[in-house]
Amino acid sequence: MEGIAEAASLLRACRRILVFTGAGISTESGIPDFRGPQGVWATVDPDEFTIDRYLRYPETRRRSWQMRMNSGALDAVPNAAHRAVAGLWSAGKMLGCVTQNIDGLHQKAGLPEEAVVELHGNVHTTVCLGCGDRQPTAAVILRVDAGEDDPSCLLCGAILKTAVVYFGEMLPAGALEEAFDLADRADAVLSVGSTLTVFPAAYVPLKVARSGRPFVILNMGPTDFDHLASVRLESPAGTALPALVAALA
Ligand SMILES: [Zn+2]
């Protein structure tokens, strides 16, 4: 496959690769991306999903829970690309994985929790905005499915929200710091399935790239920072990533 050999020769000597992932690594698991022609934002107005509106309007919360229930993210299973990332970790060549995804598929594929930094949270956990209680989202979805369209906390009655970052909301405490720390210590960065258009997340791979360390981009379609890439691979992640990891092992 074009570019794989070049990327492999660039990364072969690396032992601290930082893997940065976006929606494109999970599309082959049936989770739609956000910005593509079939993406979530093609049919849903992102302005609807700000934290302000979520707190203010029961209708926004109802729509949000319906979207969670129907998105497929809760039941999705990892694909070959997630397994390849876990394989890279097992091979001892990886420093960690910083992801923009909320689907938890890296961990489901076998990447240890401590190797993953989730910049935008995780949909599998739901938090009470009153008492801070945390519970599996699956338990809340059961209540939604049973007819509670805007379920509230059973302990204190406050609003429940999945532990994902809404527009206008801060990133999880410490996550960005941890991600930048990995970027400082990485000897290369491999960006998979991200258009590198969402900030501050995109600053993480850019920090590595701008210091002159190898920057490999694997994405279907252009990204905003192709001009900085050492190698660019235009291929589905589920095909190219296993090939690249095999070439490195
Ligand atoms: Zn509560």
Side-chain angles (χ1 to χ4, degrees):
M1 207 179 307
E2 200 186 335
I4 297 276
E6 198 187 348
S9 73
L10 195 66
L11 299 176
R12 190 158 289 127
C14 297
R15 291 290 178 275
R16 299 189 310 278
I17 299 170
L18 174 61
V19 178
F20 178 79
T21 62
I25 196 171
S26 294
T27 48
E28 290 165 82
S29 291
I31 301 173
D33 65 5
F34 293 96
R35 287 168 181 75
Q38 309 295 325
V40 174
W41 302 144
T43 52
V44 176
D45 181 359
D47 289 341
E48 171 84 7
F49 292 95
T50 63
I51 186 64
D52 284 348
R53 294 186 68 96
Y54 191 88
L55 296 176
R56 198 172 302 173
Y57 303 118
E59 179 56 27
T60 297
R61 297 196 291 275
R62 286 186 205 112
R63 290 195 54 185
S64 189
W65 287 115
Q66 286 300 320
M67 271 179 64
R68 295 294 173 219
M69 202 163 61
N70 301 326
S71 73
L74 289 163
D75 305 318
V77 294
N79 64 56
H82 298 103
R83 291 193 293 274
V85 175
L88 193 65
W89 173 267
S90 304
K93 299 184 72 67
M94 204 177 124
L95 184 62
C97 176
V98 174
T99 187
Q100 298 171 276
N101 298 340
I102 59 169
D103 53 39
L105 290 182
H106 285 298
Q107 296 93 318
K108 276 193 191 170
L111 199 58
E113 195 69 55
E114 66 268 22
V116 186
V117 179
E118 294 173 314
L119 292 179
H120 297 153
N122 188 312
V123 74
H124 295 281
T125 299
T126 287
V127 189
C128 170
L129 300 181
C131 70
D133 181 56
R134 297 171 83 84
Q135 62 179 312
T137 298
V140 182
I141 291 295
L142 284 178
R143 292 173 58 192
V144 177
D145 208 21
E148 281 186 77
D149 54 3
D150 176 22
S152 55
C153 178
L154 295 174
L155 302 176
C156 77
I159 292 172
L160 294 179
K161 181 182 147 303
T162 51
V164 307
V165 176
Y166 277 60
F167 291 106
E169 199 175 10
M170 300 280 286
L171 268 52
L176 201 58
E177 226 169 65
E178 208 183 323
F180 281 131
D181 176 59
L182 291 177
D184 283 337
R185 294 191 289 128
D187 54 13
V189 64
L190 170 58
S191 177
V192 183
S194 174
T195 51
L196 303 172
T197 47
V198 176
F199 291 90
Y203 285 127
V204 174
L206 290 180
K207 193 167 190 197
V208 181
R210 287 189 168 134
S211 71
R213 287 166 282 173
F215 178 29
V216 176
I217 293 179
L218 165 55
N219 194 54
M220 288 294 282
T223 79
D224 280 7
F225 294 93
D226 287 345
H227 57 285
L228 293 181
S230 318
V231 180
R232 214 196 97 73
L233 303 169
E234 172 85 27
S235 174
T239 312
L241 208 50
L244 177 58
V245 169
L248 288 174

